[in-house]
């Protein structure tokens, strides 16, 4: 883990630095927020910023957002800095650590940001075979394409491959190609020079250079624009990149991993993905099976999540009842591991007895997953549904029907944008634009995990 400490606090941060290093973190220290920004722009990235409350944390976080540098900020200060702590949290800091530092608290913060959310839990023979193949190819420098439905654990597999590779001591850098606006993705990948475009206030090292010597994960690569795909292909083939506004190419030494929940070969045939780039990425394909085809993994993950969320919420760890186990293994899990995780988090909170029973296994709205369907015949159900759907359309605009369809599909997918976009048959970028319009109109939009909230900025 890479930790960037910002500030001085009379040398107390030096103690925090030593504690963090003792826990295995790679620590960089700057005295000012401007120096921290320069460090991040230069490609010496960080997984966490620990910032003295004496710094202007609000301005720092705003600048990070403006430059699309995604890194969590934790504020720290002496015990008497109560007002500064509150202001830091309001400004966007994730947590506040009182100083002088406590070794256990430092360890807890680092653990929360490290790999706890990337544990690879598996027992099913299908996954055992998949891991055997992953172990075999991980030490190579071959590009690997990881495919599978949304929520199957593609990024977790990518991190596993990096840990098993010869580059394990070098950076692992992940870029979500679907989450970054198209006009900014090129700069995010390849970097830019100062003044290359409006808003380029300083030179910025891109993810390719930041990952130099290590591994670069291109998450959801099917969402990348065709024009940028051509530049990516050249970068992989030539092992060099051109910064936006740069005058000379920059050599890089990285291993490329990519993920997609789409059939990239079919996308290539349809002209939506470059065929030559597909073959360059697809030296080895690891196709993760959906959770419904891995029953042994369902139970292993269930126990893992039940324990994890009990501890996270200060609750006793409870076993699952036999009936609950049977139900969980029979469920289809269209959202895969992500859906199972959300379900178990709710079950831990809703369980009232000595065991987690079926009664606690519910949908986000509180309804039970095992509620029987009304006792109608198949033909009756279909006719009733078709009649109700037809009546519901009359007198409504196309935009209103579209809005209901999008929000209901997103709610069904527990807020998972990528999965919802696939079901709707639209791009993730189109979906995000629609959701932004709805939020700005004051309409509650489901977020990952199944809840709904308004977006105020």
């Amino acid at each position: 883990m890479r930790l960037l400490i910002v500030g001085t606090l009379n040398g107390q941060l030096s103690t925090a630095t030593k504690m963090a290093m003792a826990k295995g973190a790679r620590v960089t220290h700057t005295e000012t927020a401007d120096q921290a920004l320069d460090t991040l722009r230069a490609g010496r990235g960080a997984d966490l910023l620990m910032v003295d409350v004496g710094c202007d944390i609000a301005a720092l976080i705003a600048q990070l957002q403006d430059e699309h540098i995604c890194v969590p900020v934790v504020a720290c200060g002496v015990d008497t800095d109560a007002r500064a702590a509150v202001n830091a949290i309001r400004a966007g800091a994730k947590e506040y650590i009182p100083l002088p530092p406590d070794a256990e608290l430092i360890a807890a913060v680092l653990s929360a940001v490290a790999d706890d959310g990337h544990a690879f839990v598996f027992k099913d023979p299908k996954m055992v075979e998949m891991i055997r193949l992953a172990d075999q190819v991980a030490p190579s420098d071959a590009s690997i394409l990881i495919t599978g439905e949304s929520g199957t654990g593609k990024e977790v597999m990518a991190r596993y491959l990096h840990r098993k590779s010869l580059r394990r001591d070098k950076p692992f850098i992940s870029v979500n190609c679907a989450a970054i606006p198209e006009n900014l993705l090129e700069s995010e990948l390849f970097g830019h020079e100062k003044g290359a475009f409006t808003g380029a206030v300083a030179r910025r090292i891109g993810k390719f250079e930041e990952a130099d010597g290590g591994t670069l994960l291109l998450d959801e690569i099917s969402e990348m624009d065709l024009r940028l795909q051509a530049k990516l292909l050249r970068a992989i083939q030539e092992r060099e990149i051109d910064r936006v506004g740069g005058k000379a190419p920059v050599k890089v030494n990285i291993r490329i991993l990519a993920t997609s929940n789409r059939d990239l070969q079919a996308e290539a045939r349809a002209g939506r993905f470059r065929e030559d780039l597909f073959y360059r990425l697809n030296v080895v394909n690891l196709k993760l099976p959906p959770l419904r085809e891995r029953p042994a993994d369902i139970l292993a993950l269930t126990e893992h999540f039940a324990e994890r969320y009990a501890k996270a919420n200060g609750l006793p760890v409870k076993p699952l009842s036999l009936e609950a186990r049977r139900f969980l293994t029979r469920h289809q899990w269209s959202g895969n591991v992500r859906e199972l995780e959300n379900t178990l988090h709710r079950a831990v909170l809703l369980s009232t007895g000595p065991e987690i029973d079926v009664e606690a296994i519910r949908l986000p709205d509180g309804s039970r997953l095992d509620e029987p369907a009304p006792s109608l015949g198949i033909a009756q159900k279909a006719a009733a549904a078709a009649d109700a759907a037809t009546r519901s359309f009359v007198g409504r605009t196309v935009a209103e029907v579209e809005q209901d369809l999008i929000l209901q599909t997103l709610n069904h997918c527990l807020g998972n944008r990528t999965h919802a976009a696939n079901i709707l048959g639209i791009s993730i970028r189109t979906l995000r634009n629609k959701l932004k319009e709805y939020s700005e109109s004051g309409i509650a939009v489901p977020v990952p995990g199944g809840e709904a909230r308004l977006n105020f900025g």
Side-chain angles (χ1 to χ4, degrees), residues 246-263:
K247 297 180 180 179
V250 179
K251 290 290 183 181
V252 290
N253 172 24
I254 60 174
R255 190 217 196 144
I256 296 288
L257 305 178
T259 73
S260 177
N261 57 11
R262 299 188 186 185
D263 182 342

Side-chain angles (χ1 to χ4, degrees), residues 237-251:
Q237 289 176 332
E238 305 297 330
R239 290 182 172 266
E240 64 181 27
I241 55 99
D242 294 300
R243 296 193 196 113
V244 178
K247 297 180 180 179
V250 179
K251 290 290 183 181

Side-chain angles (χ1 to χ4, degrees), residues 5-16:
I5 295 181
V6 186
T8 55
L9 277 177
N10 299 322
Q12 292 189 39
L13 283 177
S14 296
T15 305

Side-chain angles (χ1 to χ4, degrees), residues 79-203:
D79 292 330
T80 55
D81 286 342
R83 184 179 297 276
V86 171
N87 291 337
I89 297 298
R90 286 176 176 170
K94 302 295 184 184
E95 188 56 82
Y96 175 79
I97 299 178
L99 298 176
D102 176 82
E104 291 186 3
L105 185 56
I106 293 286
V109 171
L110 295 180
S111 177
V113 181
D115 288 337
D116 286 4
H118 304 125
F120 218 147
V121 178
F122 63 92
K123 284 187 179 178
D124 196 89
K126 281 191 174 183
M127 283 305 293
V128 170
E129 184 62 32
M130 182 67 61
I131 294 298
R132 185 178 294 116
L133 176 58
D135 287 341
Q136 185 175 345
V137 300
S140 74
D141 257 356
S143 297
I144 296 178
L145 180 61
I146 307 167
T147 57
E149 296 179 7
S150 292
T152 49
K154 297 186 289 295
E155 183 175 352
V156 177
M157 172 60 84
R159 291 178 181 275
Y160 179 85
L161 288 165
H162 176 70
R163 289 197 301 270
K164 292 288 184 176
S165 75
L166 301 179
R167 298 171 179 261
R168 64 179 70 88
D169 296 326
K170 298 296 184 180
F172 175 90
I173 304 298
S174 176
V175 181
N176 188 329
C177 300
I180 300 172
E182 182 181 320
N183 61 326
L184 295 176
L185 185 55
E186 180 178 357
S187 172
E188 187 74 14
L189 289 173
F190 304 129
H192 61 253
E193 297 292 345
K194 181 178 180 180
F197 50 84
T198 303
V201 297
R203 169 188 279 188

Side-chain angles (χ1 to χ4, degrees), residues 223 402 406 426-435:
E223 300 299 325
E402 179 189 67
I406 288 175
I426 60 178
S427 72
I428 186 70
R429 194 164 284 111
T430 299
L431 176 61
R432 290 181 186 280
N433 290 337
K434 291 289 184 183
L435 297 180

Side-chain angles (χ1 to χ4, degrees), residues 302-353:
T302 293
E303 294 173 357
H304 171 72
F305 291 136
E307 179 179 357
R308 176 178 172 185
Y309 286 111
K311 291 180 178 178
N313 291 282
L315 299 171
V317 178
K318 299 178 183 179
L320 271 84
S321 69
L322 181 59
E323 184 184 2
R325 288 170 175 267
R326 287 173 177 167
F327 171 75
L328 291 171
T329 53
R330 290 197 303 266
H331 191 65
Q332 286 299 298
W333 301 115
S334 58
N336 292 293
V337 179
R338 191 176 292 116
E339 182 188 359
L340 176 63
E341 180 177 2
N342 291 338
T343 300
L344 262 295
H345 194 173
R346 282 192 296 274
V348 166
L349 299 175
L350 297 175
S351 176
T352 56

